[in-house]
């Protein structure tokens, strides 16, 4: 399973409320309404920032310029690429993305989930977007993170 994550700011003329309303009431249903697109998507989630949330414990900067983290789960990267080349995606879904998102400020990230600690599902997620030191390779960063993070969480 592969996750496509899109981190995006809203268009400047939209309020947070208007952005959220458009994404949930127009764009999401539009994605579900196109069978050729919806068929390849295993899970599809929108993650909106919590108003007024701060990180006082660790002092991490908040991604205040981002208004959404979208997660699309696919069987593989190839399935996701095929999905985004689907003619009806290009005709219907792709043009709609520009109606609510500032596409110039959007980022796409491909991930594979690695479970560190199994727990019950919650309605709150915290995403830490880490940048590795320039002296570390991606593989070395991922190894170090996988070794250190379970210890930080404890049992």
């Amino acid at each position: 399973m592969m996750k496509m994550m899109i981190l995006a700011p809203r268009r400047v003329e939209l309020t947070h409320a208007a952005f959220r309303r458009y994404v949930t009431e127009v764009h999401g249903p539009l994605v579900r309404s196109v069978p050729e697109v919806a068929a390849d998507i295993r899970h599809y989630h929108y993650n909106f920032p919590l108003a007024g949330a701060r990180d006082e414990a660790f002092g991490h900067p908040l991604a205040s310029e981002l208004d959404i983290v979208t997660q699309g789960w696919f069987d593989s990267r190839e399935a996701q690429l095929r999905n985004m080349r689907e003619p009806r995606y290009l005709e219907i879904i792709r043009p709609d993305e520009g109606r609510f998102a500032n596409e110039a400020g959007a980022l796409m990230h491909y991930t594979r989930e690695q479970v560190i600690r199994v727990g019950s599902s919650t309605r709150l997620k915290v995403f830490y977007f880490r940048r590795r030191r320039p002296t570390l390779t991606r593989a070395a960063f991922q190894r170090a993170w996988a070794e250190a993070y379970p210890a930080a969480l404890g049992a």
Side-chain angles (χ1 to χ4, degrees):
M1 190 71 62
M2 187 273 308
K3 287 184 184 181
M4 171 196 67
M5 299 178 87
I6 301 172
L7 297 72
R10 69 187 190 285
R11 290 177 57 113
V12 294
E13 67 271 17
L14 293 176
T15 64
H16 290 284
F19 172 82
R20 187 176 294 202
R21 194 170 32 259
Y22 190 91
V23 168
T24 57
E25 295 176 12
V26 177
H27 188 71
L30 187 63
V31 170
R32 286 193 311 266
S33 76
V34 181
E36 302 91 332
V37 173
D40 287 329
I41 304 171
R42 301 298 171 233
H43 297 277
Y44 188 57
H45 302 251
Y46 294 137
N47 300 277
F48 297 105
L50 293 175
R54 291 183 298 287
D55 180 8
E56 295 166 359
F58 298 103
H60 294 119
L62 293 179
S64 58
E65 74 283 359
L66 299 173
D67 294 283
I68 192 169
V69 177
T70 301
Q71 293 177 272
W73 298 15
F74 295 86
D75 289 334
S76 66
R77 170 105 165 87
E78 294 74 26
Q80 186 270 332
L81 290 172
R82 190 174 53 249
N83 185 273
M84 293 184 99
R85 286 191 303 262
E86 170 61 47
R88 292 190 29 107
Y89 167 82
L90 295 170
E91 172 191 338
I92 298 168
I93 307 301
R94 183 71 183 112
D96 190 58
E97 293 166 354
R99 293 188 182 105
F100 61 90
N102 172 358
E103 295 177 293
L107 300 169
M108 186 179 289
H109 192 55
Y110 296 102
T111 68
R112 274 212 196 328
E113 189 171 276
Q114 181 175 349
V115 176
I116 302 298
R117 180 174 185 232
V118 178
S120 59
S121 182
T122 67
R123 298 193 51 85
L124 174 68
K125 293 180 184 178
V126 177
F127 290 99
Y128 284 102
F129 300 105
R130 300 286 189 190
R131 295 189 197 282
R132 60 187 155 88
R133 286 192 308 259
T135 56
L136 281 179
T137 65
R138 183 182 297 257
F141 174 82
Q142 290 173 342
R143 268 194 313 276
W145 184 255
E147 291 168 6
Y149 199 69
L153 281 177

